[in-house]
Amino acid sequence: MDNGPSLYDDDIVTWAEEQVTALRALAMRGDLSNDVDWANVIEEIESVGRADLERVESAILQLLIHVLKYASAPGAQSTKSWRKEVLVFQASARRNYRRSMRQRIDWDALWSSARKIADSSLGMFGDALLGGLPDHMPFTPEAITAPGFDMDEALERLATVLNSDPGHT
């Protein structure tokens, strides 16, 4: 048996999908034991992959919310905690993100949710979301999960996107 890193260690989402496919094929075989609760075993393995994906999506969503709040209200009292939160959520995203997740995450939906949540949160304190934000995610997954990503990099990226939009004043 190979003692090197396994797909389970490197990319549990892909591992779970492969295992589910194999288990579904086994479940269809009539010559195997009926003692195995195939449906629930398959569901449990699927949930392992979903949990990792949801963990990354949640960290990225929170990171985006805090970047948007900071960009929109740089004079707010909470900016120091927003900076800290971006570091915490980015570290989590970086630690758990796998390249195979890129096509499984709806990046524009995450961005849209982050904009809505940040706007609502800012509104509670009399602030408003920065105008002219793009409809599509302005950050690549690789940028968000890069070891050097931080609040200033995110703010620079947003400024670049806003300044490159000819309709934005």
Side-chain angles (χ1 to χ4, degrees), residues 72-142:
S72 299
Q77 188 174 8
S78 300
T79 56
K80 287 182 183 177
S81 72
W82 293 338
R83 280 185 170 277
K84 178 191 72 87
E85 293 296 324
V86 165
L87 292 174
V88 169
F89 291 122
Q90 196 277 337
S92 176
R94 184 180 70 244
R95 186 175 52 257
N96 295 297
Y97 179 77
R98 301 295 179 261
R99 276 185 277 154
S100 68
M101 293 178 179
R102 183 183 182 118
Q103 70 269 12
R104 293 175 176 94
I105 295 174
D106 185 340
W107 298 96
D108 288 338
L110 265 181
W111 177 246
S112 178
S113 293
R115 288 174 37 203
K116 288 176 186 169
I117 295 167
D119 188 40
S120 176
S121 178
L122 288 165
M124 289 190 286
F125 297 98
D127 291 310
L129 191 63
L130 185 66
L133 291 168
D135 291 332
H136 301 287
M137 170 72 95
F139 305 102
T140 65
E142 293 76 20

